[in-house]
Amino acid sequence: MLLRHAPYTLALRHPFGIASHTRTSTPATLTTFEHEGITGYGEAAMPPYLGESQATAAAFLDRAAAHLATVRDPFQLEEILPALDALAPGNTAAKAAVDLALHDWIGKKLGAPWHRIWGLDPAKAPVTSFTLGIDSPDVVRQKAREAAAFKIIKVKLGRDDATDRAIITAIREVTDVPLTIDANQGWKNRDDALRLIEWCATRGVVFIEQPMPKEQLDDTAWLRDRSPLPLIADENCQRLADVKKCAGAFHGVNIKLMKCTGLREAHKMILLARALGLKVMLGCMTETSCAISAAAQLSPLVDWADLDGALLIKNDCFRGTTVVDGKLVLSAHPGLGVEKI
Ligand code: MG
């Protein structure tokens, strides 16, 4: 069993702004897992503000490779993945890169894509939103026009109240598609946040992602009890153990492979969230079609998908899940359903 890894830098089509900063590329690391003549593919996408890098991923993946060399049966994910998780804290994207490569290998070995193995109907894959970063009203207006093929647009807000309202107003001048908002913890005052959410509710907004800082969980719970729109946890919901905490302050959770160590844990998080009566959204970083196609395998289980990460880069090196008329279309290929280009 051979786990290999190599750095790969994702080049963004446009500079991408969120509440805290703007960037033009995303560091990633690609993995392969080879055994019995079959190659599984995986990926770690690591926006710098999350604390991982190509160097930390390489260090973790070398240790993971040494562990995998001692494994006898790569199907035993319930043994292998907890052991890898225990090798080091954090490193969630690097852990996902192993989880994805193993899932891809197993699916290829079985000759089936993961949505089939999980018993899901690919026709139930949702539409995906397309994300607009924080920008000037003119640029936002232009990007909203370009996103006309999408059935739902996700808008990054959270710099300040005037900018937030100007962005929504600019978008509404050119399109009436439903909007979702991601404040990325940008709203610090709960009364101001409530006023802005009430204003958004009159402008075709469907839900609000992570309105307040993750440390302000009590304020978020206060807001949840008054908000006319569902509040979805993102920064507050990283891993399986966070889902239960979020149930007290949010209406739903946003699950991302790069935060939660991969498909195995993401699947468990979805099941737990459902048992707790929570809405579920699947999100992503800027990623190649490898990690996007992996997340798409789970998408028939969720309410909303924000899986546009591969559309935001210009050097995608995989073919897999596509977007047709705004809807995710899963490939019938086995494993993650991806082919290396
Ligand atoms: Mg978010």
Side-chain angles (χ1 to χ4, degrees):
M1 286 179 218
L2 194 56
L3 179 74
R4 297 179 206 259
H5 57 88
Y8 190 74
T9 300
L10 309 176
L12 307 192
R13 289 185 186 278
H14 305 284
F16 190 68
I18 67 168
S20 52
H21 61 273
T22 298
R23 70 177 194 277
T24 57
S25 67
T26 302
T29 295
L30 303 181
T31 52
T32 55
F33 177 74
E34 294 168 41
H35 185 50
E36 298 178 348
I38 293 172
T39 300
Y41 293 107
E43 171 183 12
M46 299 170 286
Y49 62 93
L50 294 177
E52 290 183 75
S53 66
Q54 289 167 336
T56 62
F60 178 84
L61 292 168
D62 283 342
R63 296 178 66 188
H67 177 81
L68 286 173
T70 70
V71 164
R72 260 176 292 169
D73 181 2
F75 276 79
Q76 291 180 4
L77 295 181
E78 292 295 339
E79 300 294 323
I80 298 167
L81 296 175
L84 293 177
D85 195 18
L87 287 177
N91 291 286
T92 55
K95 288 169 183 173
V98 186
D99 168 286
L100 264 53
L102 287 168
H103 276 85
D104 194 34
W105 186 90
I106 289 169
K108 284 172 171 164
K109 184 77 176 167
L110 295 174
W114 271 93
H115 65 264
R116 284 204 73 202
I117 298 170
W118 276 316
L120 307 178
D121 178 359
K124 290 191 175 161
V127 299
T128 178
S129 51
F130 184 78
T131 304
L132 304 185
I134 296 181
D135 239 311
S136 69
D138 279 347
V139 173
V140 166
R141 219 177 273 119
Q142 183 55 32
K143 285 189 182 169
R145 273 193 204 100
E146 290 167 9
F150 291 86
K151 306 295 181 223
I152 187 162
I153 291 177
K154 169 166 161 170
V155 187
K156 293 285 194 178
L157 296 184
R159 287 231 169 122
D160 61 75
D161 197 80
T163 304
D164 290 350
R165 288 174 195 251
I167 287 172
I168 297 297
T169 301
I171 293 169
R172 278 291 171 251
E173 284 166 16
V174 297
T175 176
D176 56 6
V177 297
L179 304 178
T180 75
I181 284 173
D182 187 356
N184 282 115
Q185 316 182 78
W187 301 339
K188 320 285 189 214
N189 178 290
R190 66 188 195 183
D191 295 295
D192 293 344
L194 181 58
R195 270 191 292 277
L196 194 49
I197 293 170
E198 286 169 345
W199 182 83
C200 288
T202 66
R203 280 155 180 83
V205 173
V206 180
F207 65 78
I208 310 281
E209 198 182 320
Q210 195 71 40
M212 305 195 71
K214 60 182 176 192
E215 298 78 16
Q216 291 177 233
L217 208 52
D218 289 345
D219 285 331
T220 306
W222 179 93
L223 196 59
R224 193 259 326 251
D225 293 342
R226 290 159 181 79
S227 171
L229 297 175
L231 306 183
I232 308 298
D234 184 4
E235 284 84 346
N236 269 113
C237 185
Q238 311 279 313
R239 301 208 45 184
L240 181 60
D242 298 321
V243 174
K244 190 156 179 271
K245 293 177 213 160
C246 289
F250 293 89
H251 300 91
V253 290
N254 182 0
I255 295 169
K256 294 178 182 166
L257 299 180
M258 297 301 144
K259 294 190 304 185
C260 77
T261 72
L263 283 169
R264 202 79 184 168
E265 187 152 325
H267 186 238
K268 293 176 185 178
M269 290 172 79
I270 294 172
L271 301 184
L272 175 57
R274 289 305 189 202
L276 291 167
L278 292 168
K279 294 281 191 188
V280 180
M281 165 185 182
L282 264 175
C284 63
M285 312 298 174
T286 39
E287 297 166 356
T288 73
S289 285
C290 178
I292 293 298
S293 301
Q297 298 293 326
L298 287 167
S299 68
L301 282 172
V302 307
D303 299 294
W304 301 295
D306 176 37
L307 295 178
D308 63 346
L311 306 173
L312 302 175
I313 64 173
K314 51 188 175 189
N315 59 343
D316 194 356
C317 53
F318 287 92
R319 220 186 339 260
T321 294
T322 54
V323 179
V324 178
D325 288 334
K327 186 176 153 66
L328 294 167
V329 178
L330 277 57
S331 134
H333 289 289
L336 305 181
V338 296
E339 298 169 286
K340 190 92 197 289
I341 298 173

